[in-house]
Amino acid sequence: MKKTFAILTAGLALMTAVSCQKEASWADDGTPEIYFTPAGISEARIWNYDSGSYETQIGVNLCGIRPANQVNSITVSYAVDDNIVTAYNNEITNEFSGNIVALPSDCYTVTGTSVTIEQGEVAAKIPVTFNTKALAALEREPGKKYVLPLRLTGTTMHNLSSDENLTTL
């Protein structure tokens, strides 16, 4: 009986220690930030879609706070910003300079100018629709890489990430 009690006590102590450790790893870090989801940034060859349009979403995340502690809705503003392409082309080598081009506006539709991270959530999605027929017309200019330059421009709560690589896309 004493052996069983000792095993149960040791097991209970271990479970308590593990559960406390897990809770600590989920603690808010005190500096929540909003940024584009890096895993959601990718190169897509979408002109092969025959429907005429391709719908996708770009993720916006809130880090540094647990979903349970996120008690307010947060509005995050964004905008298409061709200056991102200009800055990028100015920074890269001459070999690639000018090959990165902002998509013409008839090639896409970015819905709205803001998205809401709802109470209890830590992410939201920006809806984007690409016009695949307009994109197909761009294939006549080989060697150019087209991008949709987006920038997070503001938030109603917390800060945007201080890393510009996470607030521009």
Side-chain angles (χ1 to χ4, degrees):
M1 180 75 169
K2 287 183 183 181
K3 187 175 183 180
T4 303
F5 180 73
I7 291 172
L8 288 175
T9 304
L12 184 57
L14 180 62
M15 286 178 22
T16 303
V18 169
S19 67
C20 288
Q21 185 176 9
K22 183 176 181 182
E23 184 65 29
S25 69
W26 272 89
D28 295 343
D29 74 2
T31 56
E33 290 187 332
I34 296 172
Y35 61 96
F36 280 120
T37 308
I41 300 170
S42 64
E43 179 178 337
R45 300 184 186 279
I46 60 177
W47 57 85
N48 294 328
Y49 291 90
D50 295 325
S51 69
S53 67
Y54 175 74
E55 295 179 13
T56 190
Q57 298 176 336
I58 298 170
V60 176
N61 275 11
L62 168 64
C63 71
I65 190 168
R66 294 178 358 168
N69 293 342
Q70 207 292 87
V71 296
N72 298 298
S73 294
I74 302 168
T75 301
V76 181
S77 303
Y78 54 87
V80 175
D81 185 354
D82 291 346
N83 292 325
I84 297 169
V85 176
T86 302
Y88 180 81
N89 281 329
N90 288 339
E91 287 180 17
I92 61 176
T93 66
N94 289 333
E95 179 181 355
F96 298 106
S97 184
N99 289 332
I100 306 299
V101 179
L103 273 174
S105 60
D106 66 331
C107 292
Y108 64 89
T109 302
V110 177
T111 304
T113 58
S114 66
V115 67
T116 301
I117 300 174
E118 298 293 342
Q119 176 183 349
E121 300 291 327
V122 292
K125 305 280 186 192
I126 299 171
V128 178
T129 303
F130 290 97
N131 176 341
T132 58
K133 293 180 192 242
L135 288 173
L138 298 177
E139 288 183 333
R140 297 184 196 110
E141 298 182 49
K144 290 191 176 185
K145 291 195 181 270
Y146 291 91
V147 296
L148 175 57
L150 287 176
R151 178 183 306 277
L152 296 178
T153 58
T155 177
T156 57
M157 178 173 263
H158 306 303
N159 293 320
L160 296 176
S161 173
S162 57
D163 182 349
E164 188 177 2
N165 293 320
L166 296 176
T167 59
T168 58
L169 172 68

